[in-house]
C-alpha cells in the first residue's frame, strides 16, 4: 500500500541545477527515514543523501555542499535539490523509505527511479 512516486529528472548542462521530488504515502511519511540513491550504468547503487524522521541529514562526500535533501510534511514529499551538477552526477536516482514502526519491525520501500543526465 506504500508508494513512492518520483519526478523532476531531466537533462541539464554541467553547472546547472535540478530538483527531484518523491511523493510518499501519508501513512508512512512522518515515521520514515528517507534517502536518495543513484546508480550509473555499470556501477553499484550508492547512497546520496538521507533525511531522518528526527531531522538529521547525511550526504555522501561527493555531493556535500551541492545537494540538499529536505522534506515537506504538508505535501508528504521529499526533495533533492541539486546544484553545480557535474557529468559524474549522471545516474538514475531512486527514492527510498525506511520505516520502523515497532521494535523488530522494519519495512523498506523504493521508488521507480528518475533519470538525471548532465552534459559535459
Amino acid at each position: 500500500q506504500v508508494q513512492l512516486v518520483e519526478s523532476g529528472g531531466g537533462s541539464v548542462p554541467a553547472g546547472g541545477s535540478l530538483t527531484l521530488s518523491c511523493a510518499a504515502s501519508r501513512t508512512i511519511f512522518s515515521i520514515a527515514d528517507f534517502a536518495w540513491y543513484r546508480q550509473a550504468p555499470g556501477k553499484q547503487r550508492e547512497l546520496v543523501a538521507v533525511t531522518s524522521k528526527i531531522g538529521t541529514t547525511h550526504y555522501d562526500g561527493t555531493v556535500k555542499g551541492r545537494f540538499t535533501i529536505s522534506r515537506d510534511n504538508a505535501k508528504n514529499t521529499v526533495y533533492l535539490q541539486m546544484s553545480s551538477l557535474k557529468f559524474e552526477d549522471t545516474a538514475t536516482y531512486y527514492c527510498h523509505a525506511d520505516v520502523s514502526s515497532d521494535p523488530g519491525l522494519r519495512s523498506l520501500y523504493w521508488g521507480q527511479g528518475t533519470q538525471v543526465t548532465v552534459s559535459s
Side-chain angles (χ1 to χ4, degrees):
Q1 64 179 8
V2 174
Q3 187 173 191
L4 305 178
V5 181
E6 299 154 331
S7 61
S11 181
V12 295
S17 300
L18 202 62
T19 298
L20 307 182
S21 299
C22 173
S25 299
R26 189 206 324 163
T27 54
I28 60 94
F29 188 83
S30 64
I31 60 174
D33 297 333
F34 287 92
W36 287 96
Y37 285 76
R38 67 185 181 188
Q39 186 168 24
K43 295 188 176 182
Q44 293 282 109
R45 186 171 298 187
E46 63 179 5
L47 179 66
V48 176
V50 178
T51 178
S52 75
K53 60 180 179 291
I54 63 172
T56 59
T57 58
H58 168 80
Y59 299 91
D60 181 79
T62 62
V63 306
K64 187 177 297 184
R66 300 188 297 120
F67 290 13
T68 300
I69 188 170
S70 61
R71 53 201 297 169
D72 187 329
N73 295 331
K75 296 181 178 180
N76 297 317
T77 301
V78 177
Y79 302 95
L80 183 67
Q81 299 177 97
M82 305 182 293
S83 299
S84 301
L85 284 163
K86 306 174 180 179
F87 174 76
E88 293 78 17
D89 296 317
T90 296
T92 301
Y93 284 70
Y94 298 89
C95 184
H96 178 268
D98 186 340
V99 181
S100 298
S101 58
D102 293 295
L105 181 61
R106 187 180 185 183
S107 299
L108 305 176
Y109 305 94
W110 289 96
Q112 78 287 350
T114 185
Q115 178 67 35
V116 172
T117 302
V118 183
S119 59
S120 59

